[in-house]
Amino acid sequence: MAIQYSFPEGFLWGSGSSAFQVEGECRNHDFYDWALQGKIKDGTNPVDAVHFWKYFKKDIGLMKKMNHSTARIGLEWARIEPDKWACDDSVLDHYREILKEMKAQGISPMVTLHHFSNPMWLSSQGGWTSPKVVKYYIRFVKKAVRYLGDLVDVWITINEPSVYATAAYLFGEFPPGKKSVRKTFRVMKNMADAHVAAYHVIHEIYTQKLWGTPKVGIAKHLRTFDPYNTKNPLDHLSARLAKRYFNDYFLKRINRKSNTLDIFGLNYYSGDLVKFPLKLLGRQNLPKNKLGWDIYPEGLYRILDEYYFRYGCPVYITENGTCDDNDELRPSFILDHVYQLHRAMEHGVDIAGYYHWSTLDNFELVDGLMSRFGLVHVDHEHPERKRTLKTSGKMYADIAGSNGITEKIVEDYVPEWRP
Ligand code: BGC
């Protein structure tokens, strides 16, 4: 049977990044400070990143070359508000330039307002545990949306609230490196309040400015959690608890009063087996990426099937990708996950677009610059951080250009691939 998985007309193909993981040259945020404290595994610092701030035209050119109809970028709060009482309009103007360039190339912008990094002035006041954080965040959101909203097609208020709260306040892996259950829940609660407030503020601004109806959502990391031993009721209980905490707590909180999701942004990477009391393990039979994460495409289908039918709003796959320094796993990783998307759509899930993570090899959160997720290779030693399209980038360009997986794409890139 011929291999042919076509997507509906107008399906969006793109890739994503966050501000501090690509921009470079910003010393006002907490990940810069964290790196100075020697907390990044390979010793690199996001101040180097890949200089998207400088080379954005080149990078948007590469998106175009990869037949992107959309791309996800982030705003750096610490650049826009370098200190508590300052707003730097020249930074907002620069973001306008980036967005205009995307539009000029026919690439529809999705913009994230908060993606892990925070201004140092906010961190020094308790960051996301502060009772004032929602007020500060909304002040920033208003400035950014009023200034840039006419150029943005989809707003993501907050990226991965449960990953952020867990990594920064429970596991101590992101700044400020705390290990407190109480603070973790306070951060999730504040982020939920921040999202709900931002959702309404963005809608109000669009109404006042006569910009039509905005699309606002979050980027929610969801994983499958299954019992390690299916015969052990305690493992079943642990898997349910992990799911309730990591996947569901935040979603339930934001939807308590009213629906504040125009779109559902899904970040999918992998799944876990859970052993009592709360030990997360991989599946022995699955291939792993460089960071030891299971490659589990079926999980994407399972998540879509469950959460789409629960929330009912159009899904954007806001992140999906893998850490693979030599681009050996990525081509089949993409085919496997795009196939699962297709399967979910056949089953009735409304998916508007797919953003591969990430566009370029960027600054990876805990591991640093040497752990590569990009469709585009970046030479971090080169003075201009030379970019080269990887094989996976070329294949992704062909998928986007043909609006799906074709027999020829499989033959050209991964002849042995079968769904
Ligand atoms: C984050 C990205 C990160 C990726 C890979 C996601 O959870 O949103 O910022 O680079 O995972 O670790």
Side-chain angles (χ1 to χ4, degrees):
M1 202 178 67
I3 293 177
Q4 178 75 47
Y5 300 103
S6 306
F7 282 68
E9 215 187 302
F11 186 84
L12 298 166
W13 296 98
S15 59
S17 59
S18 80
F20 87 95
Q21 292 180 268
V22 292
E23 286 179 357
E25 303 156 57
C26 179
R27 292 183 162 80
N28 288 329
H29 60 72
D30 51 358
F31 269 86
Y32 170 70
D33 183 65
W34 186 244
L36 286 188
Q37 293 172 41
K39 305 284 191 176
I40 305 301
K41 280 195 186 150
D42 66 6
T44 55
N45 188 309
V47 78
D48 295 318
V50 298
H51 297 287
F52 176 74
W53 197 244
K54 197 174 348 171
Y55 300 125
F56 69 90
K57 286 207 172 132
K58 212 186 268 180
D59 293 339
I60 294 169
L62 284 162
M63 294 171 193
K64 177 89 186 152
K65 206 167 171 188
M66 288 189 283
N67 292 317
H68 282 23
S69 44
T70 186
R72 177 179 176 213
I73 63 161
L75 303 182
E76 184 57 70
W77 185 356
R79 260 185 209 279
I80 295 173
E81 293 187 341
D83 70 58
K84 189 173 166 190
W85 303 113
C87 174
D88 189 341
D89 284 355
S90 71
V91 168
L92 287 164
D93 285 333
H94 193 82
Y95 281 120
R96 279 194 77 80
E97 288 309 303
I98 296 175
L99 294 168
K100 278 191 194 153
E101 181 68 19
M102 289 171 77
K103 290 266 181 186
Q105 299 295 337
I107 295 170
S108 156
M110 169 186 276
V111 175
T112 312
L113 287 153
H114 185 271
H115 194 129
F116 300 153
S117 54
N118 298 292
M120 281 309 288
W121 61 261
L122 178 68
S123 305
S124 65
Q125 295 187 27
W128 281 89
T129 61
S130 158
K132 293 196 179 148
V133 65
V134 177
K135 193 177 94 188
Y136 293 139
Y137 171 76
I138 291 301
R139 186 184 67 177
F140 155 67
V141 168
K142 282 185 181 163
K143 280 180 201 160
V145 174
R146 284 191 185 128
Y147 219 97
L148 307 171
D150 57 322
L151 297 169
V152 174
D153 294 317
V154 181
W155 286 102
I156 298 296
T157 56
I158 293 183
N159 182 67
E160 298 193 340
S162 29
V163 170
Y164 176 73
T166 309
Y169 290 90
L170 191 64
F171 293 166
E173 288 178 335
F174 290 0
K178 303 277 185 238
K179 293 187 176 175
S180 151
V181 173
R182 199 170 44 86
K183 286 190 174 149
T184 304
F185 277 96
R186 193 182 309 154
V187 168
M188 281 221 260
K189 180 185 156 304
N190 283 340
M191 288 193 147
D193 292 349
H195 163 78
V196 171
Y199 176 88
H200 294 299
V201 157
I202 299 171
H203 276 260
E204 276 156 32
I205 295 173
Y206 272 62
T207 308
Q208 283 157 11
K209 299 254 190 193
L210 306 176
W211 285 341
T213 311
K215 289 195 182 89
V216 184
I218 47 156
K220 182 75 182 83
H221 189 136
L222 295 177
R223 308 173 69 80
T224 54
F225 293 101
D226 294 301
Y228 175 72
N229 176 354
T230 49
K231 294 197 179 97
N232 183 342
L234 289 174
D235 287 2
H236 277 273
L237 177 71
S238 305
R240 277 205 301 278
L241 276 178
K243 179 170 184 277
R244 191 178 296 176
Y245 163 75
F246 189 83
N247 285 359
D248 297 333
Y249 176 80
F250 181 85
L251 290 171
K252 289 213 166 118
R253 226 184 143 93
I254 60 172
N255 277 327
R256 272 192 319 188
K257 293 194 190 118
S258 60
N259 179 25
T260 54
L261 294 176
D262 302 319
I263 64 115
F264 193 109
L266 167 63
N267 293 1
Y268 176 78
Y269 285 91
S270 190
D272 302 289
L273 295 181
V274 192
K275 191 170 162 45
F276 180 78
L278 266 178
K279 194 165 182 189
L280 302 179
L281 297 161
R283 287 170 161 82
Q284 269 174 2
N285 58 338
L286 287 181
K288 320 276 174 224
N289 76 3
K290 176 194 167 183
L291 302 178
W293 305 352
D294 280 1
I295 299 183
Y296 182 45
E298 169 87 21
L300 176 58
Y301 177 85
R302 288 177 54 198
I303 294 281
L304 285 165
D305 191 41
E306 177 176 350
Y307 286 84
Y308 172 70
F309 293 105
R310 192 184 303 173
Y311 290 98
C313 45
V315 180
Y316 286 65
I317 308 298
T318 34
E319 288 182 29
N320 172 239
T322 198
C323 184
D324 169 28
D325 293 348
N326 301 318
D327 206 39
E328 289 156 352
L329 304 168
R330 194 169 291 103
S332 57
F333 179 98
I334 294 175
L335 292 173
D336 285 337
H337 287 79
V338 168
Y339 165 72
Q340 294 295 338
L341 282 190
H342 188 269
R343 210 182 133 208
M345 288 170 89
E346 298 260 280
H347 186 59
V349 179
D350 177 6
I351 306 173
Y354 173 83
Y355 297 71
H356 190 76
W357 185 272
S358 55
T359 314
L360 306 146
D361 287 337
N362 59 24
F363 181 86
E364 178 52 20
L365 315 166
V366 176
D367 298 271
L369 278 176
M370 300 309 159
S371 291
R372 297 173 182 274
F373 276 79
L375 294 167
V376 176
H377 178 272
V378 178
D379 179 351
H380 299 300
E381 307 299 323
H382 190 275
E384 286 167 24
R385 308 298 191 276
K386 188 166 176 275
R387 278 89 157 124
T388 315
L389 213 58
K390 298 181 186 177
T391 301
S392 57
K394 292 182 188 152
M395 186 193 79
Y396 190 63
D398 289 351
I399 293 178
S402 346
N403 198 21
I405 301 175
T406 62
E407 184 96 45
K408 175 152 181 14
I409 291 175
V410 174
E411 257 170 42
D412 287 352
Y413 296 96
V414 197
E416 69 282 5
W417 182 81
R418 289 295 169 272

